[in-house]
Amino acid sequence: MPPRKTNRSARPNDHSDSDPDVLEIPADVQKIAASQPELPTIIKEARKLIKRKKPALTAQQLQEMLPRGDIDATWTAQDEQDLQQAWDNDPLKPYLLDERGNKHLQPLWRYTMRFMGMPVEEIIGPKFNLAYDNSSNEMIDINGREVHHPNWSAKFCEKLLHLASHPMWLEQPGAMTTCIQYVVKCRTNDQRQMRWPKENNTSDKFFDVFQSVNDTFQDGTKTVVELRKEVNRRLRVPSLYSRLFATVETLAFRAMAGPLRAPAAVHSNVGMYAVSTEDLTRLMKALDQQTDTHGLPLHRPTVFTAAAAKAAKKSYDLPRASDLANARERVLLGIRRDQAKAAKLAAQPGPQQQPVGEPQSGDQSDPGSLQQPGAQAQPGIEPQLGGQPQDDVPPESPNQGGQDVHSQLDQDITIDQEDDLMGNESPVDYGDDFMGNNSPIAPEDDHMGDESDRIGARARHNSTHTERRKGKVDLHFANNMQFDTR
């Protein structure tokens, strides 16, 4: 049979043989692309879904979501009066409420209220251990003292709105804020001996294992990159958040930056993280760079998603522009009220509260604490990173509310006994962990790796608690509550 002739003249623009960079889209892919609905149709259907599942808030619903100064056994009428008076006398009050022509603040505020169920000042606030980094703001004079203007910039609000609408969080503000914290931890080379993350606001047990690893091995000298790699070694299954964190590290981690080692009690709660506009930009870039095994994007571009969400929403949400200042004042006052309540409870006489992470009186060991040099390893705890656990029981460590965060973790977080992690030769590809031992390459470092069949049940630990903080309540929160410095 004679060879088949090809009509090269019928494809005058075909340069696939001479130019490998010219993309030739297969006919079946073209057919699939042509069958997809166009963007106007997608927006139209999305608009119907939003109207049905996430309708605009009514005035009554909005009022119910705003903080109130309820009087009870722990918060008296005098407490409320003192709080109101301190707020009215605060010289920063007019600056905090001044929008300064920030056209992005109003849509950001309305979006988080409707789709995340809380005002944005609570998202970037003490509830999630975040504060706005105002170090780049102009200086203002407050009673003869030069301070940075406390208000958020328009660019910061715009970036935060783009992030808030991203599908990665599944409308959970805690998931977004944990990732924002990680960007700041990378930028500041945070090596504090503090409990992180405070809680898991996702269904991904990556954060539960991260807390266990951080509690066990953060002795004030480990970087977040080293800890994250150890988490992957233990987790042994792919995690979207782990891959995102690995990308964040390439964009934000500064190994040469002086490590942040502020004094803190071992396993104490996380501190405040001052967030800059650049931090939000880095997280957006990291999200946009997430790809699957085939190199295809996992998510739509962040700015595209935000624009599409705005078009699909197509509604004028409350509060009205004329009511926004009053609503924001109630929120800012509510934040201070929560801080004052916590300080009041902490100052009340009573049994001494056991510091988190320390053994109770009479205990012979603390399974969640760091191993001291020469100390005998406790069951289920690896004496050093890369070591092999003595049994299949995951490490236990009490969380802030006294509940055991780690005991419910399934056995996926422990190292398989048949895996050689002590430096012996193995048919598996190995990389070095930060203790100098050999350990399997992390899942996100090997994007072609097979997914484990041992995923098992995912632990959820969304414990809530009232934070108790000793000391005088600082009513100048927006200017003085920042823990980190750039």
Side-chain angles (χ1 to χ4, degrees):
M1 184 179 216
R4 181 180 177 182
K5 294 182 179 180
T6 57
N7 186 1
R8 303 294 295 181
S9 61
R11 295 183 293 172
N13 296 325
D14 187 358
H15 305 291
S16 58
D17 292 340
S18 59
D19 188 354
D21 294 331
V22 173
L23 177 63
E24 181 178 357
I25 301 178
D28 55 345
V29 177
Q30 295 183 36
K31 183 178 180 180
I32 293 173
S35 66
Q36 298 301 305
E38 296 181 353
L39 184 59
T41 303
I42 296 175
I43 296 296
K44 183 179 180 180
E45 293 300 317
R47 189 172 295 166
K48 294 179 181 178
L49 186 144
I50 290 177
K51 186 176 181 180
R52 183 173 70 255
K53 292 190 174 183
K54 285 287 184 179
L57 297 174
T58 66
Q60 180 179 352
Q61 289 173 329
L62 179 64
Q63 290 300 315
E64 292 174 351
M65 295 171 65
L66 296 176
R68 297 178 301 181
D70 295 332
I71 306 303
D72 52 32
T74 60
W75 189 252
T76 66
Q78 185 63 47
D79 292 330
E80 184 66 21
Q81 180 180 342
D82 293 342
L83 180 72
Q84 292 279 355
Q85 184 176 357
W87 167 245
D88 292 336
N89 294 335
D90 189 346
L92 278 177
K93 177 180 176 179
Y95 296 98
L96 289 167
L97 297 177
D98 179 19
E99 298 179 25
R100 307 175 67 204
N102 186 345
K103 65 179 181 179
H104 296 290
L105 178 60
Q106 292 185 19
L108 171 63
W109 214 90
R110 294 169 181 145
Y111 184 91
T112 60
M113 288 294 286
R114 179 176 176 181
F115 292 94
M116 287 186 163
M118 64 178 59
V120 69
E121 287 91 350
E122 290 186 3
I123 296 176
I124 306 297
K127 182 188 295 291
F128 295 106
N129 301 90
L130 294 175
Y132 170 65
D133 182 359
N134 63 356
S135 60
S136 298
N137 287 6
E138 64 179 329
M139 303 296 292
I140 57 175
D141 181 81
I142 300 295
N143 297 333
R145 184 167 61 99
E146 292 289 318
V147 299
H148 291 281
H149 199 295
N151 243 2
W152 302 355
S153 69
K155 185 62 67 175
F156 180 86
C157 292
E158 181 184 23
K159 300 290 186 181
L160 188 56
L161 178 56
H162 291 168
L163 283 172
S165 59
H166 200 279
M168 180 78 173
W169 326 125
L170 298 177
E171 302 173 13
Q172 298 301 312
M176 178 180 70
T177 55
T178 301
C179 293
I180 293 176
Q181 289 178 13
Y182 196 73
V183 178
V184 181
K185 289 174 72 68
C186 286
R187 171 172 58 81
T188 58
N189 196 6
D190 188 1
Q191 299 181 19
R192 291 174 293 172
Q193 290 181 262
M194 308 184 81
R195 178 176 295 275
W196 194 91
K198 182 170 67 174
E199 57 186 350
N200 185 357
N201 293 285
T202 75
S203 60
D204 196 324
K205 63 183 179 181
F206 166 76
F207 293 109
D208 297 313
V209 182
F210 204 123
Q211 188 184 80
S212 174
V213 168
N214 188 79
D215 283 353
T216 305
F217 296 111
Q218 182 52 277
D219 58 358
T221 65
K222 304 296 187 295
T223 68
V224 291
V225 177
E226 293 168 334
L227 294 174
R228 196 265 310 161
K229 289 182 177 179
E230 177 65 15
V231 172
N232 293 346
R233 190 182 68 84
R234 293 179 167 217
L235 193 61
R236 301 299 302 275
V237 293
S239 166
L240 291 178
Y241 283 98
S242 180
R243 292 184 177 184
L244 175 63
F245 278 20
T247 308
V248 166
E249 292 162 9
T250 64
L251 298 172
F253 181 68
R254 300 291 180 265
M256 300 304 295
L260 180 61
R261 294 172 179 165
V266 176
H267 297 172
S268 62
N269 198 2
V270 297
M272 297 298 294
Y273 294 88
V275 187
S276 67
T277 304
E278 290 74 17
D279 293 327
L280 302 183
T281 301
R282 292 186 182 103
L283 182 55
M284 289 174 58
K285 289 181 178 179
L287 287 165
D288 291 345
Q289 292 178 18
Q290 299 307 293
T291 60
D292 64 9
T293 302
H294 315 96
L296 300 175
L298 285 177
H299 311 292
R300 296 178 297 271
T302 307
V303 293
F304 177 86
T305 299
K310 179 181 178 180
K313 184 166 67 72
K314 194 189 177 182
S315 62
Y316 185 81
D317 293 323
L318 297 175
R320 294 187 295 267
S322 58
D323 299 328
L324 181 60
N326 179 64
R328 292 188 61 234
E329 182 173 4
R330 287 182 59 179
V331 171
L332 294 175
L333 191 61
I335 293 174
R336 298 183 178 207
R337 183 182 297 112
D338 290 341
Q339 292 177 295
K341 285 183 179 180
K344 183 179 180 180
L345 288 173
Q348 290 179 353
Q352 292 295 323
Q353 188 176 15
Q354 186 70 24
V356 176
E358 295 185 8
Q360 299 292 331
S361 176
D363 286 352
Q364 298 301 316
S365 63
D366 175 19
S369 64
L370 300 176
Q371 291 296 320
Q372 300 297 327
Q376 183 177 359
Q378 302 299 326
I381 299 295
E382 299 180 66
Q384 63 176 5
L385 290 177
Q388 199 158 341
Q390 298 181 7
D391 54 34
D392 290 333
V393 180
E396 299 179 355
S397 175
N399 68 356
Q400 302 94 315
Q403 296 178 344
D404 184 4
V405 171
H406 311 298
S407 62
Q408 298 181 29
L409 292 179
D410 56 68
Q411 296 184 4
D412 283 349
I413 72 169
T414 60
I415 308 300
D416 290 342
Q417 296 293 333
E418 66 271 18
D419 291 335
D420 187 350
L421 303 178
M422 302 303 295
N424 300 319
E425 293 187 4
S426 169
V428 185
D429 291 333
Y430 283 83
D432 293 333
D433 67 13
F434 67 83
M435 293 300 295
N437 301 309
N438 288 335
S439 61
I441 295 178
E444 81 282 359
D445 296 329
D446 180 13
H447 287 237
M448 299 302 292
D450 295 332
E451 183 171 345
S452 172
D453 292 329
R454 303 180 300 105
I455 295 179
R458 291 180 176 180
R460 292 285 289 114
H461 306 285
N462 286 331
S463 60
T464 58
H465 68 282
T466 302
E467 296 184 15
R468 299 185 175 187
R469 297 177 180 173
K470 295 183 179 180
K472 183 178 179 181
V473 178
D474 187 356
L475 294 181
H476 290 188
F477 159 73
N479 189 55
N480 298 326
M481 276 297 292
Q482 299 178 10
F483 193 97
D484 297 341
T485 57
R486 300 190 64 181

